[in-house]
């Protein structure tokens, strides 16, 4: 067995960032930047490489600043309402004569001999004569040469980010081509035996190179010029060769991944040989295994392999370099305070970047943590903001006020926070809401029905989907709302009767027909049936436990009872992939993944499960009215029922509390 | 004489904006948007046309989430420090046997038969056996199928702006191509007999089409697809034809200009014929003559001709439509409070957009108004922010706190506000500062020496250039600082001795050799010599008046004495263009525009003019130290002296007050 390297030293994030920029500055990486010529018309978003001086004045002639008449101002001296002055209209080709005037439009060359303009609104025409009742002062309403920019004056300073109006100023000043800072070429080298470039080569154990396109897009967004290299196998010589080749024609090299200290992580030793490794390991989560190195006076960075880690670390260590290498300003990270909706434990010594849904509930900003795993891309696609948890923190309590940074330009007022029990039909509700109000977005946190009730109680959500059977009364939801939300004014609205049941592979190869079968051994293999469960506090888990109790089944005897997943679709995915033989879930989830479905509740026999929405809105809130409108609309009902196992005939009905 | 149309009705800006969007919404312009397919790798910054569902689960197999060993969890049950369990290492091609384990790297397929991973750091190797001292729970450190995204689940909602991480999520979910909202095609039609497309055709009275490239760049920046049309002459039929052609293949038409009510402004009547003119004239400044129309259910907008007006009105009326047509969020206009450094009169009934320099002086944000003319492109290229002056306001007092909107991402802490007397060498100081500290920018407000002293007194600037001769003592600057700034702790630092004199055309054709010549008539033409003056409060104006008094010349006899311009370069431009025969200014300005120079003061004879800097910084401020360092540096002194008429031998010397 080959020896494993001890794990990386772990520098605090800020120290690593400072060291990185300081060392790059020391080797002169941000000086004497490469430049190139571009046409002004192509210069949007580029950065001037040096000061730009005007080649001609703006305006380049004395011109009329208004539509009106051009005259020699002294000819109008003395004019007043009781004693108007009349000026003889001259044609454009006539030479100026004292007492004459020309009609001019804005921008017209001021005719020789004239030195002022009177606005057309102030001129009264009497045949071919212009009558004026106010004296013109010399040069009034005249744009004189150089009024805006004088030839040889500065039009734009060095390192100026070019906006549309700057292009107009340059062109007006007679400049058609300028020198700009070259976009930094950033090589992106994907490494790993398991990485494949196309879906055709994808099989279990292989991973599609999604980081390459993602990092290239990020570099583009930061003004750089990404150069995507071929995937390199986990072979030391091959990786070294790829890095050397990229150092030749690029300004920066990103190696992804092979940055931790696993069996085949060659990046760090190679970079130590080619140059200086400044940092190997940064105390952040996700993202720990980062390598910052300088080779041939150029930055070379090793990023971790998980997409979320790769993106967050690129944001911390690639972006600043790409921007600085173009003299672009570093982005402002403005923070706002929000209330954290759930407790978040944290590891001392690691700075964690927690992804958040952020919404405004009852006037307070509420931040709901999304999935924390480095493998969860969806946690970043859904995130509106980030919370940086200090490395000195062992965790943050629910309800604490925390500083959050926005990731997208979406306004928290437009984010509707939905918590509670997961149902695919809720997503459909979200789409319908956006169809009516495009600015709205519905954000989900799947915390189970009980969790949803608690979130509404704590004023941390707008909406919660719940399906909780009260064993004592046999009623759904109402007893729980009465028990936990008696102090709060909320609305309980009926959404759907649902079909729950056991999901099994198509054709039901293990012959699972009831909950009793969960204890059965397969006759051929002697293996027991394996189950995949939902987490505690969910209605589905409570339904299972209730049904098991009714059937007298001891849950500890079920293989897989301890394996919990977060959504109906995750249950279906576990079954579809063979990770488990069965699990309790919605018919819609079975239908989505082509599984067979063994009903445990039945909407056709009146034993359907009642799924309702708790709405935390004031009485005539427009969003709530929109939700009720959608629930009652035939289109929406039809679309949900088509998913399978839903009865929406009473959707939108307000339930008395 | 043709009849002039009465001037436009003037709708308030907000009403016009609301009417515009409402009417476009009514005709369905923002529904059923055109869509197109793009590769996910090309989708950065695009907007999804519909919901996107996963084609495969992410991850698509059960894999190791850590580098370590894969095992069947129950084989480790009971392991503890005092009683470790040993697992036999199996090779990847060996079939699983109870009590066996495999070495796995992060991302590897979990070998059949195993259901957990123990981190490599927690494994102790004894020959071919892995010794573990803690039991593994089933599925620990395993990424199970669909943990991130389940097949058929939503990856991205409809109308989602695609970021790099979204591209990774799409690719991981098996999606290689998506439907996005098409970029709206925006036709830009420049109109006007005076507009030319290239510098070659530029002559007095002609204007280069700078708005076309500017508006095209702005449309690009807003995500649209600009289509620049040929310049159209001021002929009704030609303009109509161009609009009709653009309506055929574009989503929006911008006509620029011909939007006011001058002789040749056909746009409004044409649009009335082709469709409905919603608004003709908006009560804003700059920008009043805006036309908003809907033709063939598409927006057609007429923008005014001055670049600043065109840009500001495009920002108000084109941007929102281009964004909404892509379902992109409208930008947030965050405002901050700043102190206005100068009084700003305003016209009741017009909403004015005042361009501002914004800096932080002694911890307060100070906003200094820039030039207000619609013709001043430089006012927008130099602006850091905008102030919207309410139409109900007749003006704002100096020192008032006003809400300003930032135009650029520059931080006000990095803007050094320079006021007072204008000197081209100050710009050079600005470049040197940026060379040492790229984030700094020096912003100038030319308010004359006295204005500079007042701005420092009112804590509205960091730096003021002054050159004020005290007639009583014959000393420069110190008496004024003592008089006006006795209450404030400031630093007065020597900058340069300067040469001032009369600027005349090369070869001095009018034979102007002294101030006495300003009263002279040209012998040939009988015309008097014309002068161009600097504004009151400037050191140059005071120098002129002092010299005139000494020479016994009555200033009212000087033709042009009342014509004031704002900078030395503007004086030089007036002379170079023949607008005036001469003016008092710096030798450097004469040299820049190739003029002859008749000295009035002389640095070589000890009568040079003393130009100093007032610095409003605390004692050891880094910016002040940088300025002193630059003033003393040989490079800077050489560069300034090369401009002509400067002596910097004492630059940087602190003057005792």
């Amino acid at each position: 067995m080959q020896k494993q390297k001890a794990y990386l030293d772990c520098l605090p994030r800020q120290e690593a960032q400072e060291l990185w920029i300081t060392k790059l500055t020391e080797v002169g990486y941000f000086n004497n930047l490469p430049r190139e010529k571009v046409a002004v018309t192509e210069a949007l978003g580029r950065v001037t490489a040096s000061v730009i001086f005007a080649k001609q004045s703006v305006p380049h002639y004395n011109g009329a600043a208004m539509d009106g008449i051009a005259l020699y101002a002294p000819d109008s001296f003395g004019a007043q309402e009781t004693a108007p002055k009349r000026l003889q209209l001259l044609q454009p080709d006539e030479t100026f004569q004292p007492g004459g005037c020309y009609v001019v439009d804005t921008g017209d060359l001021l005719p020789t001999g004239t030195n002022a303009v009177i606005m057309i609104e102030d001129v009264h025409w009497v045949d071919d004569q212009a009558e004026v009742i106010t004296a013109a002062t010399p040069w009034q309403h005249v744009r004189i040469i150089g009024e805006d920019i004088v030839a040889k004056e500065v039009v734009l300073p060095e390192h100026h980010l070019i906006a549309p109006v700057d292009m107009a100023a340059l062109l007006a000043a007679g400049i058609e081509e300028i020198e700009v800072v070259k976009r930094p070429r950033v090589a992106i080298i994907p490494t790993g035996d398991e990485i494949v470039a196309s879906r055709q080569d994808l099989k279990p154990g292989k991973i599609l190179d999604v980081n390459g396109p993602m990092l290239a897009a990020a570099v583009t967004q930061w003004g750089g010029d990404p150069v995507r290299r071929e995937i390199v196998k986990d072979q030391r010589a091959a990786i070294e060769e790829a890095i050397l080749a990229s150092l030749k024609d690029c300004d920066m090299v990103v190696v992804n991944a092979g940055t931790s200290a696993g069996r085949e992580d060659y990046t760090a030793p190679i970079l130590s040989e080619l140059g200086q490794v400044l940092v190997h390991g940064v105390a952040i989560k996700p993202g720990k295994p980062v390598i910052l190195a300088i080779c041939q006076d150029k930055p070379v960075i090793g990023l971790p392999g998980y997409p979320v880690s790769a993106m967050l670390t690129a944001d911390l260590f690639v972006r600043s370099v790409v921007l600085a290498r173009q003299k672009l300003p570093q982005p402002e990270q403005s923070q706002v305070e929000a209330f954290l909706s759930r407790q978040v434990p944290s590891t001392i010594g690691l700075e964690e970047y927690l992804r958040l849904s952020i919404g405004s509930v009852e006037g307070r900003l509420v931040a709901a943590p999304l999935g924390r795993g480095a493998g969860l891309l969806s946690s970043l696609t859904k995130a509106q903001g980030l919370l940086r948890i200090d490395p000195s923190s062992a965790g943050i309590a629910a309800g604490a006020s925390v500083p959050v940074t926005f990731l997208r330009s979406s306004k928290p007022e437009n984010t509707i926070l939905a918590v509670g029990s997961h149902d695919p039909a809720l997503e459909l509700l979200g789409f319908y809401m956006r169809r009516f109000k495009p600015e709205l977005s519905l954000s989900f946190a799947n915390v189970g029905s009980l969790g949803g009730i608690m979130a509404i109680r704590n004023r941390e959500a707008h909406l919660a989907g719940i399906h909780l059977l009260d064993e004592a009364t046999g009623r759904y939801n109402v007893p729980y709302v009465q028990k936990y939300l008696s102090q709060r004014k909320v609305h309980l609205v009926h959404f759907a009767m649902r079909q729950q049941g056991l999901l099994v592979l198509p054709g039901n190869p293990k012959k699972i027909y009831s909950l009793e079968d969960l204890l059965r051994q397969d006759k051929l293999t002697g293996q027991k049936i394996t189950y995949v469960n939902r987490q505690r506090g969910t209605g589905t888990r409570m339904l299972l436990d209730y049904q098991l109790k009714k059937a007298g089944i001891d849950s500890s005897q079920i293989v897989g009872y301890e394996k919990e997943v977060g959504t109906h679709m995750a249950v279906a995915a576990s079954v579809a992939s063979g990770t488990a033989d069965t699990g309790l879930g919605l018919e819609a989830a079975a239908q989505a993944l082509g599984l067979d479905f063994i009903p445990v509740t039945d909407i056709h026999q009146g034993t359907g499960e009642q799924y309702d929405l708790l709405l935390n809105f004031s009485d005539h809130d427009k969003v709530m009215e929109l939700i009720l409108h959608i629930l009652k609309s035939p289109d929406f009902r039809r679309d949900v029922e088509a998913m399978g196992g839903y009865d929406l005939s009473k959707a939108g009905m307000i339930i008395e509390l």
Side-chain angles (χ1 to χ4, degrees), chain A:
Chain A
M1 185 62 220
Q2 53 272 69
K3 232 185 132 197
Q4 301 292 337
K5 244 186 59 177
Y7 201 59
L8 339 163
D9 48 315
C10 260
L11 218 57
R13 187 258 317 159
Q14 199 174 343
E15 265 183 58
Q17 283 180 312
E18 284 168 6
L19 182 67
W20 183 225
I21 295 297
T22 305
K23 289 288 181 184
L24 283 169
T25 306
E26 280 175 17
V27 300
Y29 184 69
F30 302 120
N31 295 339
N32 301 317
L33 300 182
R35 42 180 73 194
E36 63 183 339
K37 287 193 174 167
V38 296
V40 167
T41 47
E42 302 298 321
L44 180 67
R46 303 304 296 269
V47 175
T48 56
S50 50
V51 182
I52 300 176
F53 297 96
K55 286 192 182 163
Q56 68 182 28
S57 294
V58 184
H60 60 104
Y61 60 90
N62 292 332
M66 295 277 187
D67 295 340
I69 58 164
L71 70 159
Y72 180 59
D75 290 345
S76 68
F77 288 175
Q80 43 185 301
E81 209 146 349
T82 52
K85 291 261 178 186
R86 291 195 180 177
L87 301 162
Q88 179 63 38
L89 179 66
L90 301 170
Q91 291 310 307
D93 51 357
E94 282 182 77
T95 310
F96 181 72
Q97 292 157 17
C101 72
Y102 301 88
V103 170
V104 287
D105 278 348
T106 306
D108 282 355
L109 176 67
L110 205 67
T112 310
T114 66
N115 71 350
V117 169
I118 293 178
M119 288 197 293
I120 205 72
E121 292 92 322
D122 296 339
V123 174
H124 178 69
W125 291 99
V126 184
D127 299 323
D128 263 6
Q129 296 198 313
E131 193 173 271
V132 297
I133 55 170
T134 322
T137 57
W139 305 104
Q140 83 172 21
H141 302 320
V142 175
R143 293 194 70 209
I144 67 160
I145 290 181
E147 181 180 280
D148 189 358
I149 300 166
V150 177
K152 306 284 173 76
E153 258 187 347
V154 173
V155 185
L156 296 179
E158 193 179 32
H159 300 154
H160 180 89
L161 175 63
I162 294 173
V165 71
D166 300 323
M167 293 163 60
L170 290 169
L171 292 170
I175 297 147
E176 291 173 325
E177 196 181 58
I178 56 170
E179 275 201 326
V180 295
V181 176
K182 254 191 147 171
R183 299 187 182 284
R185 278 169 68 85
V186 181
I188 296 161
I189 307 176
T191 71
D193 293 338
E194 76 282 15
I195 307 294
V196 296
S198 81
R199 280 195 75 199
Q200 284 72 49
D201 303 327
L202 202 57
K203 48 186 188 217
K206 296 293 179 190
I207 298 172
L208 192 69
D209 176 29
V210 303
N211 288 358
M214 175 183 76
L215 294 171
V219 166
T220 302
Q221 213 170 33
W222 302 328
D225 179 13
V227 182
R228 284 180 60 197
R229 301 294 193 195
E230 300 266 298
I231 296 166
V232 181
K233 292 273 175 211
D234 277 325
Q235 291 158 358
R236 187 164 170 151
I239 297 174
E240 185 168 336
E241 196 183 327
I243 293 173
L244 281 172
S246 292
L247 279 170
K248 270 207 191 98
D249 62 356
C250 290
D251 301 299
M252 181 174 194
V253 181
V254 175
V255 183
N256 184 235
T259 55
S260 74
R263 283 185 305 163
E264 291 162 346
D265 293 326
Y266 299 123
T267 313
I270 292 170
L271 294 180
S272 296
E273 235 178 67
L274 297 183
Q276 191 194 0
V277 172
L278 305 173
V279 175
H280 186 192
V282 180
I284 50 173
K285 181 182 162 188
K288 203 156 60 167
V290 174
I291 304 171
L292 307 178
I294 299 182
C295 305
Q296 301 176 10
D297 291 349
K298 291 177 178 177
V300 181
I301 180 165
L303 296 181
Y306 279 128
V308 173
S309 307
M311 191 63 228
L312 285 174
T313 50
D315 214 67
L316 291 172
F317 299 105
V318 179
R319 180 187 209 167
S320 56
V321 175
V322 172
L323 293 178
R325 177 81 175 179
Q326 298 165 85
K327 303 288 178 188
L328 285 173
Q330 301 291 328
E332 289 250 25
Q333 295 277 329
S334 66
Q335 295 184 323
V336 290
E337 291 287 317
F339 291 90
L340 199 63
S341 69
R342 282 211 307 280
Q343 186 201 356
V344 176
S346 175
T347 313
I348 288 185
L350 281 182
E351 183 173 275
E352 181 169 350
Y353 289 78
L354 189 71
R355 284 80 77 197
L356 306 164
S357 272
I358 305 173
S360 169
V361 181
E362 298 183 34
R364 297 191 320 168
L365 275 195
V366 173
L370 293 162
R372 298 168 77 180
L376 299 179
L377 263 170
S378 53
S379 69
L380 258 185
T381 59
K382 289 176 182 164
Q384 274 115 26
L386 277 185
L387 167 61
R388 202 174 56 71
I389 304 179
D390 198 82
S392 67
S393 167
I396 303 177
S401 173
V402 291
V404 301
T405 310
F406 280 97
L407 286 175
R408 298 172 184 273
S409 59
S410 60
K411 297 182 193 167
E413 308 89 75
N414 292 328
T415 301
I416 305 303
L417 292 177
V419 295
S421 170
H422 173 256
D423 189 300
L426 263 189
E427 305 226 3
L428 209 61
L429 176 65
F431 307 153
Y432 266 80
M433 288 169 71
R434 262 176 108 108
R435 222 164 272 175
F436 286 96
K437 276 184 164 285
E439 66 276 18
L440 288 183
S441 74
L442 194 56
S443 167
F444 303 94
N446 302 320
V447 297
S449 295
L450 264 179
I453 289 180
M454 293 309 156
I456 297 283
R457 184 161 83 170
N458 297 332
R459 305 188 295 146
E460 288 160 4
H462 299 101
L463 183 159
I466 57 173
H467 55 121
L468 289 167
L469 177 61
D470 178 50
E471 295 184 17
T473 61
R475 288 188 71 190
Y476 270 95
N477 302 330
V478 174
Y480 288 88
V481 175
Q482 284 171 340
K483 179 172 173 192
Y484 292 110
L485 292 175
S486 57
Q487 307 297 315
R488 304 262 304 133
K489 165 129 186 60
V490 293
H491 308 269
L492 184 65
V493 173
H494 184 61
F495 191 122
M497 297 306 289
R498 308 192 304 184
Q499 199 86 301
Q500 291 248 33
L502 292 169
L503 315 191
V504 294
L505 283 177
N508 197 1
K510 297 264 168 113
K511 312 285 176 218
I512 300 165
Y513 297 108
S514 71
L515 293 174
E516 281 79 2
D517 289 328
L518 298 184
L519 300 180
R520 193 163 46 74
Q521 275 188 324
D522 190 90
K523 277 171 195 160
L524 284 172
T525 61
Q527 286 188 329
K528 287 182 88 172
I529 299 291
T530 57
Y531 187 79
V532 56
N533 211 345
R534 290 293 308 283
Q535 73 273 33
R536 247 162 287 197
T538 59
T540 303
R541 171 72 162 262
M542 290 166 84
L543 177 66
L544 174 75
D545 291 346
Y546 171 70
Q547 299 278 4
L548 290 176
K549 204 164 110 188
K550 256 194 2 190
I553 298 171
D554 174 5
S555 65
S556 73
Q557 296 304 307
I558 299 174
V559 177
Y561 183 85
E562 75 287 342
K563 167 114 195 80
E564 296 174 354
V565 296
T567 67
H568 291 278
M569 287 298 275
V571 169
S574 294
V575 173
S577 67
T579 308
D581 294 323
T582 189
L584 191 63
L586 289 178
E587 185 172 350
Q591 202 162 309
L593 293 196
L595 299 174
D596 278 7
F597 179 76
I598 317 299
V600 167
T601 65
D602 196 338
I603 49 174
H604 308 296
Q605 297 177 23
T607 64
E609 192 195 35
Q610 185 177 332
Y611 183 87
D612 297 326
L613 295 185
L614 264 171
L615 298 178
N616 178 25
F617 292 102
S618 53
D619 272 348
H620 296 288
D621 187 277
K622 289 204 169 152
V623 174
M624 184 169 81
E625 285 180 356
L626 176 62
I627 291 173
L628 295 178
H629 171 74
I630 293 169
L631 289 179
K632 289 174 187 163
S633 79
D635 282 0
F636 178 72
R637 291 178 172 187
R638 194 188 51 237
D639 282 356
V640 173
E641 289 176 356
M643 293 166 73
Y646 290 95
D647 172 0
L648 261 78
S649 51
K650 291 180 186 161
M653 197 185 72
I654 302 218
I655 298 169
E656 293 287 327
L657 289 172

